[in-house]
Amino acid sequence: MYNSKVEICIVLTNNIPTEIEEILTNELNNAEYKINQFQSIEEFLSWYLANGIDIFLITNESSNSETYMTLKKEYPDLRDCILIEPEEEIPSISAHSIFFDSENADIDIDGLLEVIDSSIRMLENKRLIDEDFSHFDSGEDLPMDQYSFIEDDDDDDEDDTEQGKHLEGAGERNTLESQKPEENLIENKEEINQQDNELKTADTKTEHNEKNKEPVPDIVPEDEVKSSFQNNPFPMRLRNIQKSLSGPKMDKYKTIGVWSPLPAIGVTSFLINFSLFLAENKVHTAVLESLTTNHILKDWLKRYTPIPDKWVSLATNLHAAEPVGDSEWLYRGVKFFPLNKDDVKQDWNSDSFGAYHRLTEIYDVTLIDMPTGEMSVFTKESLEYMDELWIIVDDRVQQLNSWKDYIKQIKQNHNISIHLIHNKLVASSKPNILCEGMGVTMLTTIPALWEETAMNYYQNKPLYLQKNVQPILQPPYHQLATHLIGSSFQLQEKKPTMWEQIAKIGKFQNILNG
């Protein structure tokens, strides 16, 4: 067991000797503190916002850095300590600073532990006080010993005496009432019988009304509804209305996370193009951007369509007392939910984080745009709301194989189905070797479109909407859609546009005039 509920967070962002880091972690472990280590202030902040627990921060981030100053401005009550070299200027923002000597691998560990112990005692006392007063806020009755910190005034003694007299009087009255003559008991019995009859009559009326009510059919078996909606039938009712109107006959919605361990592999591009394919074929589709400081979906959408009037991000709306705008960004039948600036800085907790990922569960398919690389705490937490994880890969075999254990750990920890999608496939590609090396099955392969992709960066509509590209992307997208939806998925017959009809009429007339 740890000796405190307060956790230690270590953010070593600049060069620091390995010996110093080992001394630090060993001493804190010996002191039985729970330690969390992060590579950057941003990574720490994501974890801190997700967990919302009492922490003490140790960092060697410069107190004059913009990152640190912003952190202290946003969270002025954050207890922290900065590690600095002796020749550096004493920080003015942090409440404490501890010297370390990188040249001799020496650190004032006793001074650091003293600062930590003092700060943690303050945090623990504050938490205990907050817990005590939370009973008043919730209307709960406190045990008598928890009132002991309130001293009685001398004036209260008289009130206590008077209260005692009232209690004694009440006791005498109870004694007298218990000695009532038999006729009074009979009157009470008749009164009780009359009340019982009235209750029985009311129950009979209620039962009669219940029988006359029209039966409400079960919309969906309870075991097919995710727990978040078991007490709220309306999202599933909407799903059934959607299914009755058009589209595939999916028994339940699916949420798919799309991720890659390597950068520049085409995750966001794939999400946009595949979502357009699904919507085109009457699959109710949403695209949700996972929480990250490096959001990009909004910038992609701005290339294709103006920002909707009164649009605000879903994250902003969730943290407002009332809706402050429209969070749906509709484009070509797909509901996009991109992040906006500073969304990650919202006051996130487990409830708002869960709501963020459950809102799109009324759609057939939700595709989640996950940041590439090692997953942050936010990203790993979002896996709990997904049915599958699709990993986009290419021919960088050695780099991808090094992620095998990491991916295996994700599968074990989150019990999620994982599949590969080979992007940028060329004649020399070997998808089977990737599957063997990473220990994951392949769903489909997507041909490389080097020239088309390069041109598309300067175009104002997505790659999938380019006529020469659609025939190339449709077969792999069809495979993915069938995997998601099942045999009920069918490609919809496209109706010719007005200009296509005019062109056909013109060709036909040319033949007649021929």
Side-chain angles (χ1 to χ4, degrees), residues 25 32 34 79 97 100 105 119 145 150 171 173 225 232 244-245 327 331 342 359-360 368 375 389 406 434 488 504 509:
T25 54
E32 297 182 347
K34 185 175 182 180
R79 307 290 297 182
S97 56
F100 76 93
S119 298
D145 59 350
I150 305 175
R173 285 195 299 273
V225 185
N232 182 5
S244 68
L245 293 175
S327 293
Y331 176 63
D342 297 334
L359 180 132
T360 60
I368 298 185
M375 295 185 183
L389 176 65
Y406 185 87
L434 275 170
S488 66
K504 285 183 179 179
Q509 287 179 340

Side-chain angles (χ1 to χ4, degrees), residues 348-371:
W348 290 97
N349 56 45
S350 58
D351 292 333
S352 60
F353 191 75
Y356 182 78
H357 285 86
R358 290 187 179 117
L359 180 132
T360 60
E361 289 179 347
I362 60 173
Y363 303 106
D364 291 326
V365 174
T366 297
L367 303 172
I368 298 185
D369 190 358
M370 303 171 67

